[in-house]
Amino acid sequence: MADRVIAITGGHLVDPVQGIDGPASLLLRGGKVEAIHRGGGKIGLPEGCLEIDATNRHVFPGIIDARVHVGEPGGEHRETIASASRAAAAGGVTGFIMMPDTDPVIDDVSLVDFVRRAARDTASVHVYPSAAITKGFKGSELSEFGLLQEAGAVMLTEGRHSIRNNLALKRAMTYARDFGMVIAKETNDPDLTSNGVMNEGFSATLLGLPGIPREAEVIPLERDLRIAALTRATYHAAKLSTPESVRTLSGYKDRGLDVTGGISINHLSLNENDIGRYRTFFRLSPPLRSEEDRMAMVEAVAEGGLDIIVSSHDPQDVDTKRHPFAEAADGAIGLETLFPAALRLYHSGQLSLARIIECLSTNPARIFGLPGGSLAIGSSADLMIADIDEPWVLNESEIVSRSKNSPFEGARFTGRVLQTMVAGDIVYTK
Amino acid sequence: MNNIQQPHFPHRHLLGIAELTAADIMYLLDKAEEAVSVSRQRNKKKAVLQGRTQINLFFEASTRTQSSFELAGKRLGADVMNMSVGSSSVKKGETLIDTAMTLNAMQPDLLVVRHQSAGAVELLAQKVGCSVINAGDGAHEHPTQALLDALTIRRHKGAMSKLTVAICGDILHSRVARSNILLLNALGARVRVIAPSTLLPSGIEKLGVEVFRRMEDGLKDCDVVMMLRLQRERMAGALVPSVREYFRFFGLDSEKLKLARKDALVMHPGPMNRGVEIASEVADGAQSVIEEQVEMGVAVRMAVIETLIGDNKGAARNG
């Protein structure tokens, strides 16, 4: 097992770190990349080698999804670490950062340890725990950053919650800097958001639903960035939805600060009109914005204003979704559709494959200090093999995740993941 | 006379004005006109819905609308049951859908539903086998209110297309305003809304209304002045500073009413806050048709109920 040899031959390798976007064969040994043969020619195979023919297929570094909600502990009927891991593998995701929004909240060493052990015993992909910035998401007392980091927490985040108290946030950023930990935050002002459930504007007015203005995102983002500038913290704005947010973020990047931004694939694929007649699977936080916003955000990804794309996988069951729109929970699952949905932006000519892989794999690895993001010689063989041209339709019955709240149910895709490997082990085959 | 070849009213439910054509609306108004005379007879009972079951399912308390629907059903001969759910099963954790399924199993012919959340009635309608009337869902729609308002206006003013109607007050939270705007636009009236900006929803002008922030400007030459109720919790400080300030600038008193046409109608969906959005002198004055609205409410609801579940339903059950 340890020195098993696998050859992936005849495929098209995309690896932005090595600047490869062309035919190449890979030789894997002991779960690591041993050699890369560029060009389309046949390669000599070592004895006892398992050959995977990737002719007419693409080979990519595995996706690292930096924002995944799981229901374990406390909401196992929605998703367990094991079921999330299977969904991830089916989506070409070889590693994900798990949000601390569980019950209990992951704000303690023992809980980080629980996640790591559960992942080791039940998961087939890498599961990286994150930890709450403040104890119980209460917004005041800091959790034990240093001990949490030692236990294996890869970043700090307040999950779906915001921190109202500027002083508490300033202290958190100051202290996190000493440990080199990234503070990743969603930015939504609870007062401006109030009882809002969708983008503020004509659509909300027509549906009679309370709206959320774009400023509810931009104002706390600006605040966070100012505090990051003050404390020189490493800051990641996790889920942006408006072009004004990108402009604000870019202003601070230009000043040389260590700040980055992410967006969920939903906000690059869908807009507020998709809510239609109160479809709660499209109730998200931040809310889906207008089509102009979506287009501007795709452009921001292409031009580098945004650094990473996440699934924002958030399993919800009928107990939280089968309600009137204003009473339903936010969130949509997305591990399995992250890559196919991103490929739409490739087929529409808006993003290159290399840029997609940068945002799905290379940049998340770099920003959060995780292994992966490239298939350079010596790196772990975390990869996916995909047919980027295969047309298919997502049926609910095929969803691997334990929850079925996908906004892409019935959607047509072009391109799908055929095989996923983690450290050279095949964890998913279509 | 209606052409019997045509389906008269091609909808299974009445969920909102948005789904109705001008012809649908006229059909219901004409039918309601007939119902007015039934209600004015000494014997007010018809037997057309004998044996049918109507359940009024009110998740949000409302004495007026619920009684109006109850009376309408009973005058048509249906068996009417009232359920106020706000206090019972929902508090025990039962979801809207579960409640709907339970009632559906009792084989009603009609559910009349009010709910505090926009879209809730439509969600429920997808899960049951009978007709559903939306008796108000959040800030979305209240179609029978708009129909009864239209009937009242038509009886006084005739065709809508020549009229200017001002809707005044808390447009932001009002399903009555949304349904009325949609209906009045469908019938060709000119619609104005008058409110402080804090009570106007975003993008309202795209609904085809003229927006005014001052009564003095908006009331000029209006044929109809519709006042909206200002909810008590919105009076103090959050959206408007105080009751007295609101009344001073947005309350309809006889001085402000003089700006409208001399024969302008004054309307209010009730229940009124006297001295908040409307002065008693106006509410009880000669131009007020507020009581008539209540009468038309029963007639319109009779018309809608009979249309949806009566025998002359027409071929159409495809709504």
Side-chain angles (χ1 to χ4, degrees):
Chain A
M1 189 74 183
D3 49 3
R4 186 168 65 160
V5 184
I6 301 173
I8 302 171
T9 58
H12 181 116
L13 176 65
V14 178
D15 185 341
V17 175
Q18 303 183 76
I20 301 178
D21 188 348
S25 295
L26 290 167
L27 197 65
L28 317 176
R29 186 186 295 273
K32 291 191 185 323
V33 179
E34 187 179 68
I36 301 171
H37 299 279
R38 300 187 63 168
K42 276 271 172 200
I43 60 166
L45 299 179
E47 201 159 321
C49 164
L50 169 71
E51 184 184 1
I52 297 173
D53 182 5
T55 308
N56 297 325
R57 307 276 187 254
H58 279 66
V59 181
F60 302 100
I63 293 168
I64 298 168
D65 189 344
R67 212 154 184 89
V68 172
H69 291 275
V70 174
E72 187 175 354
E76 287 84 354
H77 66 294
R78 294 199 299 274
E79 195 90 284
T80 60
I81 288 169
S83 67
S85 143
R86 283 193 297 275
V93 176
T94 53
F96 63 79
I97 301 179
M98 180 178 142
M99 292 296 102
D101 305 54
T102 48
D103 183 12
V105 174
I106 299 175
D107 59 358
D108 188 85
V109 169
S110 62
L111 287 155
V112 172
D113 201 45
F114 165 79
V115 172
R116 292 202 53 192
R117 276 184 290 112
R120 182 196 65 203
D121 297 342
T122 66
S124 54
V125 305
H126 304 292
V127 178
Y128 304 108
S130 61
I133 299 169
T134 66
K135 285 184 185 154
F137 292 149
K138 294 271 195 314
S140 45
E141 257 183 276
L142 300 185
S143 53
E144 299 164 316
F145 295 178
L147 293 174
L148 289 162
Q149 187 181 37
E150 274 185 3
V154 300
M155 70 168 198
L156 298 163
T157 178
E158 208 72 338
R160 302 183 183 94
H161 301 74
S162 47
I163 296 177
R164 277 192 198 214
N165 185 325
N166 294 338
L167 180 60
L169 184 62
K170 182 189 160 204
R171 285 174 177 155
M173 287 208 197
T174 306
Y175 191 62
R177 187 194 55 193
D178 291 348
F179 292 92
M181 291 187 89
V182 183
I183 297 259
K185 274 183 78 267
E186 295 182 18
T187 53
N188 48 58
D189 181 300
D191 298 316
L192 276 175
T193 299
S194 184
N195 61 344
V197 294
M198 72 174 285
N199 186 37
E200 185 171 274
F202 181 62
S203 297
T205 295
L206 211 55
L207 290 170
L209 292 171
I212 303 173
R214 293 172 179 80
E215 287 67 23
E217 172 175 306
V218 183
I219 291 169
L221 173 68
E222 174 82 44
R223 183 231 17 196
D224 286 6
L225 289 166
R226 280 181 184 271
I227 296 177
L230 175 70
T231 59
R232 294 275 149 181
T234 305
Y235 174 82
H236 177 72
K239 277 164 73 177
L240 300 178
S241 67
T242 85
E244 186 55 33
S245 295
V246 179
R247 279 191 285 277
T248 304
L249 177 67
S250 298
Y252 285 83
K253 280 183 177 174
D254 292 346
R255 287 166 53 182
L257 294 164
D258 193 359
V259 295
T260 50
I263 183 166
S264 94
I265 190 66
N266 300 314
H267 291 83
L268 296 173
S269 311
L270 308 166
N271 67 38
E272 60 185 348
N273 297 327
D274 289 303
I275 290 168
R277 303 304 302 175
Y278 305 99
R279 296 197 289 169
T280 60
F281 287 3
F282 296 83
R283 185 178 160 171
L284 307 174
S285 175
L288 291 171
R289 303 288 182 184
S290 70
E291 177 60 8
E292 296 79 68
D293 290 322
R294 186 193 71 85
M295 297 283 280
M297 295 311 261
V298 173
E299 209 175 298
V301 171
E303 291 171 356
L306 290 167
D307 303 280
I308 72 171
I309 304 172
V310 298
S311 72
S312 192
H313 183 81
D314 194 349
Q316 299 290 337
D317 195 13
V318 290
D319 63 331
T320 48
K321 277 294 187 186
R322 211 171 64 164
H323 288 290
F325 196 87
E327 295 167 23
D330 292 319
I333 58 167
L335 278 165
E336 295 159 69
T337 45
L338 173 57
F339 185 63
L343 276 180
R344 283 178 169 177
L345 303 170
Y346 162 74
H347 289 296
S348 64
Q350 291 164 292
L351 296 180
S352 68
L353 287 175
R355 182 61 188 156
I356 289 174
I357 293 304
E358 262 175 21
C359 293
L360 288 178
S361 181
T362 310
N363 290 347
R366 176 176 54 79
I367 291 168
F368 300 105
L370 305 173
S374 167
L375 291 171
I377 290 168
S379 57
S380 175
D382 298 348
L383 58 87
M384 61 166 158
I385 301 171
D387 178 343
I388 64 165
D389 293 314
E390 185 184 329
W392 63 290
V393 175
L394 180 74
N395 293 316
E396 196 202 296
S397 60
E398 291 168 27
I399 293 174
V400 176
S401 171
R402 188 167 280 190
S403 288
K404 310 298 173 194
N405 56 310
S406 170
F408 294 105
E409 191 193 326
R412 289 164 195 285
F413 292 111
T414 305
R416 74 190 311 173
V417 177
L418 300 176
Q419 205 154 50
T420 306
M421 274 189 202
V422 173
D425 287 335
I426 298 168
V427 295
Y428 171 79
T429 302
K430 165 71 191 122
Chain B
M1 277 288 111
N2 292 300
N3 183 344
I4 44 170
Q5 301 302 319
Q6 296 285 324
H8 297 148
F9 187 78
H11 306 280
R12 181 184 180 188
H13 309 297
L14 178 64
L15 300 176
I17 298 296
E19 71 213 34
L20 303 183
T21 63
D24 294 337
I25 293 166
M26 294 309 280
Y27 175 81
L28 291 174
L29 294 182
D30 291 345
K31 199 158 172 73
E33 200 75 61
E34 297 164 23
V36 174
S37 46
V38 174
S39 289
R40 286 180 178 179
Q41 291 164 10
R42 193 176 167 88
N43 178 2
K44 299 176 174 59
K45 192 118 173 168
K46 286 171 79 179
V48 289
L49 295 187
Q50 197 170 8
R52 308 286 156 85
T53 306
Q54 169 188 337
I55 301 181
N56 295 335
L57 179 59
F58 278 61
F59 292 87
E60 195 181 68
S62 154
T63 319
R64 305 160 63 96
T65 308
Q66 187 167 330
S67 338
S68 181
F69 271 108
E70 183 177 355
L71 208 50
K74 285 182 169 166
R75 283 186 180 164
L76 294 166
D79 295 318
V80 183
M81 188 181 99
N82 289 312
M83 277 201 58
S84 300
V85 205
S87 47
S88 61
S89 41
V90 173
K91 287 220 176 103
K92 292 176 195 154
E94 189 174 74
T95 67
L96 169 70
I97 306 285
D98 292 334
T99 307
M101 299 310 280
T102 305
L103 290 176
N104 192 47
M106 299 179 192
Q107 303 290 341
D109 300 282
L110 175 67
L111 285 175
V112 177
V113 186
R114 168 167 290 189
H115 197 282
Q116 63 280 0
S117 279
V121 180
E122 193 169 321
L123 175 66
L124 186 143
Q126 292 161 8
K127 309 285 175 184
V128 298
C130 63
S131 288
V132 175
I133 296 175
N134 179 2
D137 63 326
H140 178 224
E141 282 232 44
H142 188 0
T144 56
Q145 179 70 45
L147 287 164
L148 76 87
D149 289 340
L151 182 63
T152 310
I153 295 170
R154 196 173 77 163
R155 286 167 67 91
H156 287 270
K157 300 285 182 189
M160 293 279 178
S161 55
K162 298 185 183 69
L163 302 179
T164 301
V165 180
I167 306 175
C168 317
D170 185 0
I171 312 289
L172 178 64
H173 300 95
S174 177
R175 52 196 173 216
V176 174
R178 280 177 185 69
S179 287
N180 262 309
I181 290 168
L182 292 168
L183 188 150
L184 292 164
N185 273 331
L187 297 189
R190 287 181 59 183
V191 186
R192 299 174 177 178
V193 295
I194 311 173
S197 294
T198 47
L199 294 178
L200 284 169
S202 160
I204 183 75
E205 62 288 339
K206 288 192 209 157
L207 269 178
V209 298
E210 287 179 89
V211 180
F212 294 87
R213 271 86 181 179
R214 287 163 49 90
M215 297 281 270
E216 289 73 9
D217 303 329
L219 289 179
K220 221 167 274 172
D221 301 322
C222 278
D223 299 285
V224 178
V225 184
M226 264 185 203
M227 301 308 297
L228 296 173
R229 178 180 166 79
L230 184 68
Q231 297 285 341
R232 213 152 266 284
E233 64 269 22
R234 288 166 193 142
M235 289 178 197
L239 291 158
V240 292
S242 69
V243 167
R244 68 174 188 179
E245 176 147 328
Y246 187 77
F247 183 70
R248 163 72 181 76
F249 292 98
F250 296 95
L252 186 66
D253 56 18
S254 50
E255 279 305 303
K256 294 195 193 94
L257 183 57
K258 280 181 193 154
L259 298 165
R261 284 181 182 273
K262 276 197 178 51
D263 58 350
L265 303 178
V266 173
M267 305 177 75
H268 193 295
M272 286 183 280
N273 292 304
R274 291 169 184 262
V276 179
E277 69 263 0
I278 192 163
S280 281
E281 65 202 21
V282 174
D284 305 327
Q287 288 166 260
S288 168
V289 291
I290 295 171
E291 274 177 46
E292 190 179 335
Q293 285 175 272
V294 179
E295 185 190 358
M296 293 310 124
V298 178
V300 154
R301 284 159 189 144
M302 285 172 74
V304 172
I305 293 169
E306 192 180 341
T307 300
L308 292 181
I309 65 168
D311 285 328
N312 300 326
K313 212 4 246 131
R317 280 242 159 193
N318 57 356

